[in-house]
Amino acid sequence: MAEAKPSLPADLRCVLIDEESIRERVLALAAEIDEAYKDITEPLILVGVLKGSFIFLADLSRRLTIPHIVDFIAISSYGNKGDKRGEVRLLMDTRENLAGHHVLIVEDILDSGSTLSYLTKAFKARGTKSVETAVFLDKPARHVVPVDIQFRGFEIEDVWVVGYGLDYKERYRTLPFIAEMIPEN
Ligand code: IMP
Ligand code: MG
């Protein structure tokens, strides 16, 4: 087990991904996205899934050199609460009309896959030119619904992580690194 740093709160076990590694990976992802969309003739629409993606989206979008528009969507997912597994509901739609545009969904973490599967289908049904996905973290052990991910930051084990936009009960979103939580009993 990694040794906890003295500066970490007591319920965080260790830093999984430090600031420098995040910075380097986001820069590389932006270069991949620039390359993939270099021939499109109108701005790419980045759609961040609130709230968890807001920091990743902010960093990624500032590293892109291709023309792009930033937008957001909010959904509620019951996937982690047990009763209605995998159910996803749209709470706030994009400001942009996505029809006729290349869309890149930007998400904090791929867990069961319910969120991204739902959004990909919903956006494709709107007459978009393409719908692809960039996720900062991926937990392959947790996948239930198959999702095709084009741009992926890091793969992690099946542990609860916080920081860089990700929360535990709204805490720790603004930590500049990704940390592993010690589960509550
Ligand atoms: P899913 O892929 O639809 O199951 O849902 C993924 C969502 O669950 C993410 O967008 C996060 O909001 C949340 N989530 C899953 N795992 C974690 C985690 O380790 N930390 C924080 N949020 C998580
Ligand atoms: Mg999320």
Side-chain angles (χ1 to χ4, degrees):
M1 198 181 80
E3 212 177 311
K5 294 221 173 101
S7 55
L8 276 185
D11 53 353
L12 302 186
R13 178 168 286 143
C14 59
V15 174
L16 275 189
I17 309 172
D18 65 19
E19 255 184 287
E20 179 60 17
S21 308
I22 292 174
R23 203 186 60 77
E24 281 171 15
R25 190 70 194 108
V26 171
L27 188 58
L29 280 177
E32 283 178 40
I33 294 167
D34 275 344
E35 176 62 25
Y37 291 98
K38 65 179 189 300
D39 295 327
I40 66 174
T41 51
E42 67 292 298
L44 173 67
I45 303 186
L46 299 183
V47 179
V49 184
L50 291 173
K51 303 176 189 176
S53 72
F54 81 114
I55 291 178
F56 176 43
L57 176 62
D59 283 352
L60 185 68
S61 64
R62 287 179 295 171
R63 295 296 195 175
L64 291 177
T65 63
I66 52 164
H68 62 277
I69 294 169
V70 170
D71 208 334
F72 290 98
I73 201 159
I75 51 109
S76 81
S77 168
Y78 299 96
N80 298 317
K81 297 206 182 106
D83 49 345
K84 301 181 192 169
R85 280 202 78 78
E87 188 180 315
V88 177
R89 205 158 48 91
L90 188 61
L91 296 180
M92 186 196 86
D93 208 343
T94 55
R95 297 278 289 268
E96 300 295 323
N97 179 354
L98 304 182
H101 287 273
H102 293 281
V103 172
L104 182 62
I105 303 169
V106 180
E107 175 64 311
D108 53 359
I109 187 164
L110 174 58
D111 190 62
S112 71
S114 304
T115 307
L116 287 174
S117 163
Y118 167 85
L119 286 179
T120 304
K121 278 189 204 130
F123 289 171
K124 282 185 175 162
R126 295 180 183 188
T128 45
K129 279 191 180 151
S130 69
V131 180
E132 312 270 44
T133 303
V135 294
F136 180 63
L137 298 176
D138 184 10
K139 284 184 189 172
R142 299 265 310 167
H143 294 185
V144 177
V145 186
V147 191
D148 197 15
I149 299 298
Q150 286 71 40
F151 308 99
R152 179 186 334 250
F154 299 92
E155 274 193 14
I156 60 165
E157 303 291 312
D158 181 13
V159 291
W160 195 265
V161 291
V162 293
Y164 202 62
L166 292 128
D167 72 309
Y168 175 68
K169 297 182 178 172
E170 295 303 323
R171 284 161 60 216
Y172 299 133
R173 279 195 201 280
T174 53
L175 291 177
F177 46 77
I178 293 288
E180 178 182 334
M181 294 245 5
I182 297 169
E184 266 178 16
N185 286 311

